[in-house]
Amino acid sequence: QVQLVESGGGLVQAGGSLRLSCAASGRTFSRYAMGWFRQAPGKEREFVATISQSGGRTYYADSVKGRFTISRDNAKNTVYLQMNSLKPEDTAVYYCAADLGVAAPLAAEYDYWGQGTQVTVSS
């Protein structure tokens, strides 16, 4: 099993940037594909980005392509989400998740979840 802890959320003005981090426990981090999801009040959890075990493959939701970048450092057991050109509609709780399998854009495929970190983008 793996435990995940997100950090880096906060308040930012539209057009600004934030970098989220997700630190994983355990010795098997490199076995997991990792994903980022987000959930705004009154809305369902939404896929943001995913990255393969080696970091060689990435996939993004259309809403964040060209603005967000997912990356990982297996030596540090950490996955990152660099968020640029933030918009008010990016406001949500952001969750990282681990999948003992292939990278997928579906929340139901992920085995472990962090507790989330709040990102608020003001107009």
Side-chain angles (χ1 to χ4, degrees):
Q1 296 186 334
V2 62
Q3 294 185 139
L4 306 172
V5 180
E6 301 97 334
S7 62
L11 304 175
V12 65
Q13 293 184 354
S17 298
L18 284 173
R19 188 194 193 206
L20 305 184
S21 298
C22 177
S25 66
R27 297 172 292 177
T28 59
F29 178 71
S30 63
R31 297 183 183 179
Y32 292 87
M34 300 295 297
W36 285 98
F37 295 79
R38 65 188 184 186
Q39 188 165 21
K43 299 180 67 176
E44 295 183 348
R45 190 164 297 186
E46 176 188 22
F47 166 75
V48 176
T50 189
I51 189 167
S52 62
Q53 292 91 333
S54 68
R57 297 180 183 272
T58 59
Y59 180 64
Y60 298 91
D62 288 342
S63 60
V64 305
K65 285 180 180 177
R67 300 189 298 120
F68 291 10
T69 302
I70 188 171
S71 62
R72 68 191 295 162
D73 187 339
N74 287 346
K76 296 181 179 179
N77 280 18
T78 303
V79 63
Y80 306 95
L81 185 68
Q82 178 66 47
M83 305 185 295
N84 298 328
S85 301
L86 283 162
K87 304 174 181 180
E89 51 263 45
D90 295 318
T91 296
V93 176
Y94 283 71
Y95 300 89
C96 67
D99 181 9
L100 190 58
V102 299
L106 302 175
E109 295 297 320
Y110 287 79
D111 302 297
Y112 304 102
W113 294 82
Q115 65 182 26
T117 186
Q118 177 71 48
V119 172
T120 302
V121 184
S122 62
S123 300

